[in-house]
Amino acid sequence: MNHEHQTGVEHFATLKSKYKATDYKDTSPASLLYFILRKADLGIEIIEIERNWLIEHKLSETLEAIRKEGRQKEKELRKLENEFHKLTSKYTATKFHVSWKSTPLYFILSRLDSVNKLTDSEIKWLQHYGYTETIVIAQQMEHFVTLKAKYQATKHQDLSPVSRLYRILKQLEAKEPLRDSDITWLNEHELFQTLAIYQQQKAEKEADFAQLKEKYQATKHSDSSVSSPLYPLLQHLETDQQLSQSQIDWLEEHKLTETLDIVKQLEQKRHFAELKAKYKASQYEDSSPSSHLYKVLKKLESEHPLGEPDINFLKKRKLTDTITIAQDKYAATLKSKIELGDKLEDSEVNWLKENGRENIIAIAQAKHFATLKSKYNVSDYKDTSPSSPLYPILHKLEKAERLEPTDVAWLEENKIKRRQSNYGYYGWREKGYKLFSGKIWNTYHKIEAKFYEQEYQGTGNKWNLPNASSHWRKADQPKQALKLTKDIKFDKIKENKLKSALLTTRGGAFRDIYELDKAEKCARKAIDYQPSSHHPYTLMGAICFKRGQYSKGEEWFEKAIQRGASPRDQDAEIKRVVKTAKNEKKRREVVDYLLKKDPQRYAWAKSYLKKSKKKGKGQSKR
C-alpha cells in the first residue's frame, strides 16, 4: 500500500466520522461515499443522484449532516456579506458595487476596523479605485490615535472621526478654548489627565494674553479671558500678520487708540519693508516709516515720476537698482498711456527725452500722428512717419496755433486720394485732392478768424474785422461772421474802403445762409462806398446766380472783371453756388446753364451732373 492510498484511507475515515457514516464498511478511497463526502466537505452541492445513493445505502443520517453543514455555511456566508456592507457604509466605501468574495476592499476595511494602520500598497489601491473618502477617514483615525496618545486619552476606546473626543482633542491641538459642556464631558469620562493638559494650556494662554496686552498698550481692556476677540487680534500683531478691517473696527469701537497707533506703525513698517524688497532697496537699514526713503518708494508705487531731489537722494545712498526700476516703471506707465490712446503731456515728453527713452517718444509720436490723421480725415495720406511735415502741421492745428505760410503752401502742394467734404474750388481736374481742404481747411480758417478777432480787440484796428469775417465764412461758420460785424457803427468809420470791405464780407455771410435780400442790400451799399472795388460786384453776381438770374449775374461778373477781378474769382463763386445749391433741381438748373454757355470752361460741372443722376437712381431703387 503506497503513501497516497494510505492518506486517502485516513482522510476517508475522518470524513465518515464528521458526517456520521462510520457504520459504512467500505474503507477504500475508491468508494462512491468518499467521492460524495469530499464534495460536501468542499462546499459543493450534492446532486439528486448522489442523494438517492445515500438513501439507498441507508445513509440518511449522513445526508442530514451534509445538509445541516450546508445551511451553516450559507448562514456564515450571509453573515460575512452583511458585515462587508456594514463596513462599506461605515467607511464610506459604497461608491462601487463589488463582490465581497473577491475584492481586496473587504480585507482593507477589516484591517481599518481593527485599528490597524493601512499599508502604503493598500492606500494606493484605494486611491486607484477612487475610494478617497475612505482614505480621509483612515487618516482621521490615525490622527485621532496620535492625539489620544499626545493628550493622554487612550483609555477612551472610540476611534470614530465623528467622536466628540476627536473634536475636543483637535481643539486642544489648535489651542482653542473648550466649551463648559466639553469640560464636563471629560470629567464624566474620567479623562482627568487630558483635562489637566487643557487647564495648563489655558493658564499659559492667559499669561500670554496679559503680556500681549501690556506690549501693545491694551491693558485698559478689562476682559482677561482668552475667549476675548482681543486675544487673537494681538496674536496676529505678534506674528506680524495684517489685521482685517473688522479687527481694526473692533479696536476703534473699544477706543483702544494706543493699540491702533501701534497697528498703524506696524502696517507702515511692514509696507516699507515690502516696498524695499520690491524696489531693491533692502540694503537701506533704516526701517522707520518716517524715513524719506519710505516717501520716495510710496511715490514710486503710485506711478508718479521721481523728481531730481528724490533721484539725488537715491544716488547718495547708492540705490542704483531702485533708480533703474523707478525709471523703467514710469517709462512703462507712459508707454501704456500711449497704447491706450492718451496723449502725453509736455512734461512727460521732456522726462522721456531727459532719460534717453526716444523709442517711446517715437511710439507716442507715431500713435499721435495716426490719431491726428484720423481726426482730420487724412488717414489716406501715405506717410506714417512722425518726421512727415504733416505731423507738426496737424500738431499746430490741434493746439490752435497759426500755420506758417510755408505750412499752407505744403498743404496746397500735397494730396490724398479721397476727396474731403468741402474740397477747394480749383482742384476738379487734378489727380488726387489737396490736403488743404476738409477739416484741415476749416480748422485753419477758424484759428485765423480767432487771431484777427483778438488782434482787433487788442489794437482796435477795424481792418482786422473783414479778415476775421472772411475766415469765419471759409470755416463754414457764416453766422459767426455776422455776429462779429453786427454792431458796427458805419457812421463812425471815416475810410470808405473799410466800410465797403465790411459790408461785402457781411453780405457774403448773408448769401451763405440764403438771406439774399440782406446780402444784396450789403453789396449795393458797399458799391456806393467804393465803386471801384470788384469785390461787391462779384458778390452781386453770385447773388443773382443763387436766384437763378444767370444773365444778370453774368453782367455783374463782367463789371467785376472790368474793375480788376479775374475769371478765376468768378469761377470760384459759381462753383460755390453749384456746391451749396438748395436742392438737386436747382443744382441741375445751374449746371445745365453753365454747360450750355461754355462746355469747355465749365466741364467741372459735369461731375455734379453725374452725382445727381447716381443719387436719383439710388432713390428710385429705394
Side-chain angles (χ1 to χ4, degrees), residues 423-448:
Y423 179 67
Y425 303 114
Y426 306 112
W428 305 109
R429 297 179 183 178
E430 299 174 1
K431 292 181 179 179
Y433 302 97
K434 293 176 184 176
L435 283 168
F436 196 41
S437 57
K439 197 164 184 178
I440 291 177
W441 168 280
N442 283 351
T443 305
Y444 165 76
H445 285 294
K446 184 177 178 181
I447 292 169
E448 289 296 306

PDB file of all heavy atoms in Angstrom, residues 423-448:
ATOM      1  N   TYR A 423     -13.935 120.175 -50.260  1.00  0.00           N
ATOM      2  CA  TYR A 423     -12.698 120.330 -51.016  1.00  0.00           C
ATOM      3  C   TYR A 423     -12.713 121.655 -51.783  1.00  0.00           C
ATOM      4  O   TYR A 423     -13.762 122.093 -52.272  1.00  0.00           O
ATOM      5  CB  TYR A 423     -12.538 119.149 -51.978  1.00  0.00           C
ATOM      6  CG  TYR A 423     -11.290 119.247 -52.814  1.00  0.00           C
ATOM      7  CD1 TYR A 423     -10.046 119.134 -52.215  1.00  0.00           C
ATOM      8  CD2 TYR A 423     -11.365 119.484 -54.174  1.00  0.00           C
ATOM      9  CE1 TYR A 423      -8.903 119.239 -52.964  1.00  0.00           C
ATOM     10  CE2 TYR A 423     -10.215 119.586 -54.927  1.00  0.00           C
ATOM     11  CZ  TYR A 423      -8.989 119.465 -54.325  1.00  0.00           C
ATOM     12  OH  TYR A 423      -7.864 119.571 -55.055  1.00  0.00           O
ATOM     13  N   GLY A 424     -11.540 122.302 -51.897  1.00  0.00           N
ATOM     14  CA  GLY A 424     -11.417 123.623 -52.543  1.00  0.00           C
ATOM     15  C   GLY A 424     -11.933 123.675 -53.976  1.00  0.00           C
ATOM     16  O   GLY A 424     -12.218 122.667 -54.591  1.00  0.00           O
ATOM     17  N   TYR A 425     -12.038 124.849 -54.474  1.00  0.00           N
ATOM     18  CA  TYR A 425     -12.768 125.067 -55.724  1.00  0.00           C
ATOM     19  C   TYR A 425     -11.930 124.930 -56.998  1.00  0.00           C
ATOM     20  O   TYR A 425     -12.453 125.062 -58.077  1.00  0.00           O
ATOM     21  CB  TYR A 425     -13.370 126.474 -55.706  1.00  0.00           C
ATOM     22  CG  TYR A 425     -14.262 126.687 -54.531  1.00  0.00           C
ATOM     23  CD1 TYR A 425     -13.922 127.597 -53.542  1.00  0.00           C
ATOM     24  CD2 TYR A 425     -15.430 125.950 -54.407  1.00  0.00           C
ATOM     25  CE1 TYR A 425     -14.753 127.784 -52.459  1.00  0.00           C
ATOM     26  CE2 TYR A 425     -16.262 126.132 -53.319  1.00  0.00           C
ATOM     27  CZ  TYR A 425     -15.921 127.049 -52.339  1.00  0.00           C
ATOM     28  OH  TYR A 425     -16.739 127.233 -51.266  1.00  0.00           O
ATOM     29  N   TYR A 426     -10.640 124.679 -56.871  1.00  0.00           N
ATOM     30  CA  TYR A 426      -9.806 124.706 -58.066  1.00  0.00           C
ATOM     31  C   TYR A 426      -9.150 123.385 -58.377  1.00  0.00           C
ATOM     32  O   TYR A 426      -8.162 123.312 -59.072  1.00  0.00           O
ATOM     33  CB  TYR A 426      -8.723 125.794 -57.919  1.00  0.00           C
ATOM     34  CG  TYR A 426      -9.308 127.128 -57.592  1.00  0.00           C
ATOM     35  CD1 TYR A 426      -9.102 127.714 -56.354  1.00  0.00           C
ATOM     36  CD2 TYR A 426     -10.105 127.796 -58.521  1.00  0.00           C
ATOM     37  CE1 TYR A 426      -9.664 128.935 -56.041  1.00  0.00           C
ATOM     38  CE2 TYR A 426     -10.668 129.032 -58.213  1.00  0.00           C
ATOM     39  CZ  TYR A 426     -10.446 129.597 -56.979  1.00  0.00           C
ATOM     40  OH  TYR A 426     -11.004 130.804 -56.672  1.00  0.00           O
ATOM     41  N   GLY A 427      -9.637 122.282 -57.822  1.00  0.00           N
ATOM     42  CA  GLY A 427      -8.940 121.015 -57.990  1.00  0.00           C
ATOM     43  C   GLY A 427      -9.716 119.949 -58.719  1.00  0.00           C
ATOM     44  O   GLY A 427      -9.397 118.789 -58.614  1.00  0.00           O
ATOM     45  N   TRP A 428     -10.736 120.311 -59.483  1.00  0.00           N
ATOM     46  CA  TRP A 428     -11.614 119.299 -60.049  1.00  0.00           C
ATOM     47  C   TRP A 428     -10.925 118.422 -61.094  1.00  0.00           C
ATOM     48  O   TRP A 428     -11.258 117.267 -61.252  1.00  0.00           O
ATOM     49  CB  TRP A 428     -12.842 119.950 -60.680  1.00  0.00           C
ATOM     50  CG  TRP A 428     -13.574 120.825 -59.725  1.00  0.00           C
ATOM     51  CD1 TRP A 428     -13.648 122.177 -59.721  1.00  0.00           C
ATOM     52  CD2 TRP A 428     -14.311 120.395 -58.593  1.00  0.00           C
ATOM     53  NE1 TRP A 428     -14.394 122.626 -58.673  1.00  0.00           N
ATOM     54  CE2 TRP A 428     -14.814 121.541 -57.959  1.00  0.00           C
ATOM     55  CE3 TRP A 428     -14.605 119.147 -58.049  1.00  0.00           C
ATOM     56  CZ2 TRP A 428     -15.589 121.476 -56.822  1.00  0.00           C
ATOM     57  CZ3 TRP A 428     -15.377 119.088 -56.915  1.00  0.00           C
ATOM     58  CH2 TRP A 428     -15.863 120.233 -56.310  1.00  0.00           C
ATOM     59  N   ARG A 429      -9.982 118.957 -61.814  1.00  0.00           N
ATOM     60  CA  ARG A 429      -9.358 118.173 -62.885  1.00  0.00           C
ATOM     61  C   ARG A 429      -8.033 117.564 -62.455  1.00  0.00           C
ATOM     62  O   ARG A 429      -7.337 116.959 -63.253  1.00  0.00           O
ATOM     63  CB  ARG A 429      -9.127 119.078 -64.103  1.00  0.00           C
ATOM     64  CG  ARG A 429     -10.444 119.602 -64.679  1.00  0.00           C
ATOM     65  CD  ARG A 429     -10.191 120.520 -65.858  1.00  0.00           C
ATOM     66  NE  ARG A 429     -11.451 121.079 -66.356  1.00  0.00           N
ATOM     67  CZ  ARG A 429     -11.522 121.953 -67.353  1.00  0.00           C
ATOM     68  NH1 ARG A 429     -10.443 122.378 -67.956  1.00  0.00           N
ATOM     69  NH2 ARG A 429     -12.689 122.420 -67.745  1.00  0.00           N
ATOM     70  N   GLU A 430      -7.655 117.755 -61.208  1.00  0.00           N
ATOM     71  CA  GLU A 430      -6.382 117.234 -60.732  1.00  0.00           C
ATOM     72  C   GLU A 430      -6.524 115.784 -60.289  1.00  0.00           C
ATOM     73  O   GLU A 430      -7.609 115.330 -59.947  1.00  0.00           O
ATOM     74  CB  GLU A 430      -5.890 118.073 -59.552  1.00  0.00           C
ATOM     75  CG  GLU A 430      -5.670 119.539 -59.916  1.00  0.00           C
ATOM     76  CD  GLU A 430      -5.322 120.373 -58.707  1.00  0.00           C
ATOM     77  OE1 GLU A 430      -5.251 119.792 -57.617  1.00  0.00           O
ATOM     78  OE2 GLU A 430      -5.129 121.577 -58.846  1.00  0.00           O
ATOM     79  N   LYS A 431      -5.394 115.073 -60.333  1.00  0.00           N
ATOM     80  CA  LYS A 431      -5.367 113.700 -59.802  1.00  0.00           C
ATOM     81  C   LYS A 431      -5.098 113.776 -58.300  1.00  0.00           C
ATOM     82  O   LYS A 431      -4.033 114.202 -57.896  1.00  0.00           O
ATOM     83  CB  LYS A 431      -4.279 112.883 -60.499  1.00  0.00           C
ATOM     84  CG  LYS A 431      -4.586 112.627 -61.959  1.00  0.00           C
ATOM     85  CD  LYS A 431      -3.491 111.785 -62.581  1.00  0.00           C
ATOM     86  CE  LYS A 431      -3.819 111.499 -64.054  1.00  0.00           C
ATOM     87  NZ  LYS A 431      -2.759 110.706 -64.701  1.00  0.00           N
ATOM     88  N   GLY A 432      -6.054 113.350 -57.504  1.00  0.00           N
ATOM     89  CA  GLY A 432      -5.931 113.453 -56.062  1.00  0.00           C
ATOM     90  C   GLY A 432      -6.504 114.767 -55.573  1.00  0.00           C
ATOM     91  O   GLY A 432      -6.849 115.657 -56.363  1.00  0.00           O
ATOM     92  N   TYR A 433      -6.585 114.909 -54.253  1.00  0.00           N
ATOM     93  CA  TYR A 433      -7.214 116.078 -53.651  1.00  0.00           C
ATOM     94  C   TYR A 433      -6.264 116.695 -52.636  1.00  0.00           C
ATOM     95  O   TYR A 433      -5.579 116.014 -51.892  1.00  0.00           O
ATOM     96  CB  TYR A 433      -8.530 115.676 -52.980  1.00  0.00           C
ATOM     97  CG  TYR A 433      -9.495 115.038 -53.960  1.00  0.00           C
ATOM     98  CD1 TYR A 433      -9.589 113.655 -54.061  1.00  0.00           C
ATOM     99  CD2 TYR A 433     -10.268 115.831 -54.787  1.00  0.00           C
ATOM    100  CE1 TYR A 433     -10.454 113.074 -54.971  1.00  0.00           C
ATOM    101  CE2 TYR A 433     -11.141 115.261 -55.705  1.00  0.00           C
ATOM    102  CZ  TYR A 433     -11.234 113.879 -55.801  1.00  0.00           C
ATOM    103  OH  TYR A 433     -12.088 113.312 -56.697  1.00  0.00           O
ATOM    104  N   LYS A 434      -6.244 118.031 -52.635  1.00  0.00           N
ATOM    105  CA  LYS A 434      -5.306 118.743 -51.766  1.00  0.00           C
ATOM    106  C   LYS A 434      -5.581 118.445 -50.294  1.00  0.00           C
ATOM    107  O   LYS A 434      -6.720 118.320 -49.880  1.00  0.00           O
ATOM    108  CB  LYS A 434      -5.428 120.241 -52.023  1.00  0.00           C
ATOM    109  CG  LYS A 434      -4.959 120.676 -53.398  1.00  0.00           C
ATOM    110  CD  LYS A 434      -5.204 122.163 -53.582  1.00  0.00           C
ATOM    111  CE  LYS A 434      -4.813 122.598 -55.007  1.00  0.00           C
ATOM    112  NZ  LYS A 434      -5.126 124.027 -55.246  1.00  0.00           N
ATOM    113  N   LEU A 435      -4.473 118.376 -49.537  1.00  0.00           N
ATOM    114  CA  LEU A 435      -4.619 118.234 -48.090  1.00  0.00           C
ATOM    115  C   LEU A 435      -5.276 119.469 -47.479  1.00  0.00           C
ATOM    116  O   LEU A 435      -5.939 119.391 -46.445  1.00  0.00           O
ATOM    117  CB  LEU A 435      -3.247 118.019 -47.431  1.00  0.00           C
ATOM    118  CG  LEU A 435      -2.649 116.617 -47.561  1.00  0.00           C
ATOM    119  CD1 LEU A 435      -1.188 116.637 -47.133  1.00  0.00           C
ATOM    120  CD2 LEU A 435      -3.419 115.621 -46.714  1.00  0.00           C
ATOM    121  N   PHE A 436      -5.091 120.620 -48.145  1.00  0.00           N
ATOM    122  CA  PHE A 436      -5.649 121.866 -47.634  1.00  0.00           C
ATOM    123  C   PHE A 436      -7.129 121.954 -47.986  1.00  0.00           C
ATOM    124  O   PHE A 436      -7.554 122.737 -48.844  1.00  0.00           O
ATOM    125  CB  PHE A 436      -4.872 123.051 -48.186  1.00  0.00           C
ATOM    126  CG  PHE A 436      -5.108 124.340 -47.429  1.00  0.00           C
ATOM    127  CD1 PHE A 436      -5.188 124.325 -46.044  1.00  0.00           C
ATOM    128  CD2 PHE A 436      -5.235 125.553 -48.085  1.00  0.00           C
ATOM    129  CE1 PHE A 436      -5.401 125.501 -45.335  1.00  0.00           C
ATOM    130  CE2 PHE A 436      -5.448 126.724 -47.384  1.00  0.00           C
ATOM    131  CZ  PHE A 436      -5.527 126.703 -46.003  1.00  0.00           C
ATOM    132  N   SER A 437      -7.900 121.099 -47.334  1.00  0.00           N
ATOM    133  CA  SER A 437      -9.344 121.050 -47.542  1.00  0.00           C
ATOM    134  C   SER A 437      -9.955 120.340 -46.333  1.00  0.00           C
ATOM    135  O   SER A 437      -9.255 119.986 -45.393  1.00  0.00           O
ATOM    136  CB  SER A 437      -9.667 120.292 -48.838  1.00  0.00           C
ATOM    137  OG  SER A 437      -9.117 118.977 -48.799  1.00  0.00           O
ATOM    138  N   GLY A 438     -11.264 120.177 -46.366  1.00  0.00           N
ATOM    139  CA  GLY A 438     -11.923 119.431 -45.318  1.00  0.00           C
ATOM    140  C   GLY A 438     -11.713 120.028 -43.937  1.00  0.00           C
ATOM    141  O   GLY A 438     -11.777 121.247 -43.737  1.00  0.00           O
ATOM    142  N   LYS A 439     -11.442 119.168 -42.980  1.00  0.00           N
ATOM    143  CA  LYS A 439     -11.323 119.613 -41.589  1.00  0.00           C
ATOM    144  C   LYS A 439     -10.065 120.453 -41.374  1.00  0.00           C
ATOM    145  O   LYS A 439     -10.052 121.352 -40.521  1.00  0.00           O
ATOM    146  CB  LYS A 439     -11.316 118.399 -40.662  1.00  0.00           C
ATOM    147  CG  LYS A 439     -11.600 118.752 -39.221  1.00  0.00           C
ATOM    148  CD  LYS A 439     -11.957 117.543 -38.401  1.00  0.00           C
ATOM    149  CE  LYS A 439     -12.333 117.962 -36.979  1.00  0.00           C
ATOM    150  NZ  LYS A 439     -12.728 116.801 -36.153  1.00  0.00           N
ATOM    151  N   ILE A 440      -8.990 120.135 -42.112  1.00  0.00           N
ATOM    152  CA  ILE A 440      -7.769 120.950 -42.009  1.00  0.00           C
ATOM    153  C   ILE A 440      -8.085 122.384 -42.426  1.00  0.00           C
ATOM    154  O   ILE A 440      -7.716 123.349 -41.739  1.00  0.00           O
ATOM    155  CB  ILE A 440      -6.640 120.355 -42.874  1.00  0.00           C
ATOM    156  CG1 ILE A 440      -6.162 119.025 -42.271  1.00  0.00           C
ATOM    157  CG2 ILE A 440      -5.480 121.328 -43.001  1.00  0.00           C
ATOM    158  CD1 ILE A 440      -5.108 118.316 -43.079  1.00  0.00           C
ATOM    159  N   TRP A 441      -8.787 122.528 -43.569  1.00  0.00           N
ATOM    160  CA  TRP A 441      -9.190 123.841 -44.078  1.00  0.00           C
ATOM    161  C   TRP A 441     -10.027 124.588 -43.042  1.00  0.00           C
ATOM    162  O   TRP A 441      -9.755 125.739 -42.709  1.00  0.00           O
ATOM    163  CB  TRP A 441      -9.957 123.624 -45.381  1.00  0.00           C
ATOM    164  CG  TRP A 441     -10.703 124.813 -45.916  1.00  0.00           C
ATOM    165  CD1 TRP A 441     -11.907 125.257 -45.504  1.00  0.00           C
ATOM    166  CD2 TRP A 441     -10.286 125.698 -46.954  1.00  0.00           C
ATOM    167  NE1 TRP A 441     -12.293 126.358 -46.215  1.00  0.00           N
ATOM    168  CE2 TRP A 441     -11.304 126.663 -47.130  1.00  0.00           C
ATOM    169  CE3 TRP A 441      -9.156 125.777 -47.765  1.00  0.00           C
ATOM    170  CZ2 TRP A 441     -11.234 127.673 -48.069  1.00  0.00           C
ATOM    171  CZ3 TRP A 441      -9.086 126.790 -48.712  1.00  0.00           C
ATOM    172  CH2 TRP A 441     -10.108 127.732 -48.868  1.00  0.00           C
ATOM    173  N   ASN A 442     -11.036 123.923 -42.524  1.00  0.00           N
ATOM    174  CA  ASN A 442     -11.937 124.559 -41.563  1.00  0.00           C
ATOM    175  C   ASN A 442     -11.204 124.996 -40.303  1.00  0.00           C
ATOM    176  O   ASN A 442     -11.403 126.097 -39.783  1.00  0.00           O
ATOM    177  CB  ASN A 442     -13.067 123.597 -41.175  1.00  0.00           C
ATOM    178  CG  ASN A 442     -14.127 123.508 -42.261  1.00  0.00           C
ATOM    179  OD1 ASN A 442     -14.106 124.269 -43.224  1.00  0.00           O
ATOM    180  ND2 ASN A 442     -15.041 122.579 -42.105  1.00  0.00           N
ATOM    181  N   THR A 443     -10.352 124.076 -39.774  1.00  0.00           N
ATOM    182  CA  THR A 443      -9.638 124.392 -38.540  1.00  0.00           C
ATOM    183  C   THR A 443      -8.674 125.560 -38.750  1.00  0.00           C
ATOM    184  O   THR A 443      -8.565 126.450 -37.904  1.00  0.00           O
ATOM    185  CB  THR A 443      -8.870 123.148 -38.037  1.00  0.00           C
ATOM    186  OG1 THR A 443      -9.783 122.057 -37.901  1.00  0.00           O
ATOM    187  CG2 THR A 443      -8.208 123.410 -36.701  1.00  0.00           C
ATOM    188  N   TYR A 444      -7.967 125.523 -39.885  1.00  0.00           N
ATOM    189  CA  TYR A 444      -7.028 126.610 -40.205  1.00  0.00           C
ATOM    190  C   TYR A 444      -7.750 127.958 -40.211  1.00  0.00           C
ATOM    191  O   TYR A 444      -7.305 128.922 -39.565  1.00  0.00           O
ATOM    192  CB  TYR A 444      -6.364 126.356 -41.557  1.00  0.00           C
ATOM    193  CG  TYR A 444      -5.679 127.576 -42.126  1.00  0.00           C
ATOM    194  CD1 TYR A 444      -4.444 127.998 -41.625  1.00  0.00           C
ATOM    195  CD2 TYR A 444      -6.272 128.342 -43.142  1.00  0.00           C
ATOM    196  CE1 TYR A 444      -3.817 129.142 -42.129  1.00  0.00           C
ATOM    197  CE2 TYR A 444      -5.658 129.474 -43.653  1.00  0.00           C
ATOM    198  CZ  TYR A 444      -4.435 129.868 -43.137  1.00  0.00           C
ATOM    199  OH  TYR A 444      -3.821 130.997 -43.626  1.00  0.00           O
ATOM    200  N   HIS A 445      -8.886 128.040 -40.915  1.00  0.00           N
ATOM    201  CA  HIS A 445      -9.594 129.318 -41.024  1.00  0.00           C
ATOM    202  C   HIS A 445     -10.239 129.725 -39.708  1.00  0.00           C
ATOM    203  O   HIS A 445     -10.347 130.922 -39.404  1.00  0.00           O
ATOM    204  CB  HIS A 445     -10.644 129.236 -42.139  1.00  0.00           C
ATOM    205  CG  HIS A 445     -10.025 129.291 -43.510  1.00  0.00           C
ATOM    206  ND1 HIS A 445      -9.376 130.406 -43.982  1.00  0.00           N
ATOM    207  CD2 HIS A 445      -9.939 128.351 -44.498  1.00  0.00           C
ATOM    208  CE1 HIS A 445      -8.922 130.175 -45.216  1.00  0.00           C
ATOM    209  NE2 HIS A 445      -9.252 128.920 -45.545  1.00  0.00           N
ATOM    210  N   LYS A 446     -10.632 128.760 -38.892  1.00  0.00           N
ATOM    211  CA  LYS A 446     -11.174 129.079 -37.576  1.00  0.00           C
ATOM    212  C   LYS A 446     -10.096 129.712 -36.698  1.00  0.00           C
ATOM    213  O   LYS A 446     -10.349 130.689 -35.986  1.00  0.00           O
ATOM    214  CB  LYS A 446     -11.702 127.792 -36.921  1.00  0.00           C
ATOM    215  CG  LYS A 446     -12.378 128.009 -35.588  1.00  0.00           C
ATOM    216  CD  LYS A 446     -12.924 126.700 -35.052  1.00  0.00           C
ATOM    217  CE  LYS A 446     -13.566 126.890 -33.682  1.00  0.00           C
ATOM    218  NZ  LYS A 446     -14.081 125.595 -33.133  1.00  0.00           N
ATOM    219  N   ILE A 447      -8.872 129.148 -36.748  1.00  0.00           N
ATOM    220  CA  ILE A 447      -7.754 129.700 -35.977  1.00  0.00           C
ATOM    221  C   ILE A 447      -7.431 131.115 -36.448  1.00  0.00           C
ATOM    222  O   ILE A 447      -7.205 132.027 -35.644  1.00  0.00           O
ATOM    223  CB  ILE A 447      -6.519 128.780 -36.095  1.00  0.00           C
ATOM    224  CG1 ILE A 447      -6.779 127.438 -35.387  1.00  0.00           C
ATOM    225  CG2 ILE A 447      -5.273 129.450 -35.516  1.00  0.00           C
ATOM    226  CD1 ILE A 447      -5.747 126.375 -35.676  1.00  0.00           C
ATOM    227  N   GLU A 448      -7.430 131.288 -37.787  1.00  0.00           N
ATOM    228  CA  GLU A 448      -7.138 132.611 -38.348  1.00  0.00           C
ATOM    229  C   GLU A 448      -8.209 133.618 -37.945  1.00  0.00           C
ATOM    230  O   GLU A 448      -7.907 134.766 -37.602  1.00  0.00           O
ATOM    231  CB  GLU A 448      -7.045 132.518 -39.870  1.00  0.00           C
ATOM    232  CG  GLU A 448      -5.805 131.796 -40.372  1.00  0.00           C
ATOM    233  CD  GLU A 448      -4.525 132.534 -40.013  1.00  0.00           C
ATOM    234  OE1 GLU A 448      -4.403 133.727 -40.330  1.00  0.00           O
ATOM    235  OE2 GLU A 448      -3.647 131.905 -39.367  1.00  0.00           O
TER     236      GLU A 448
END
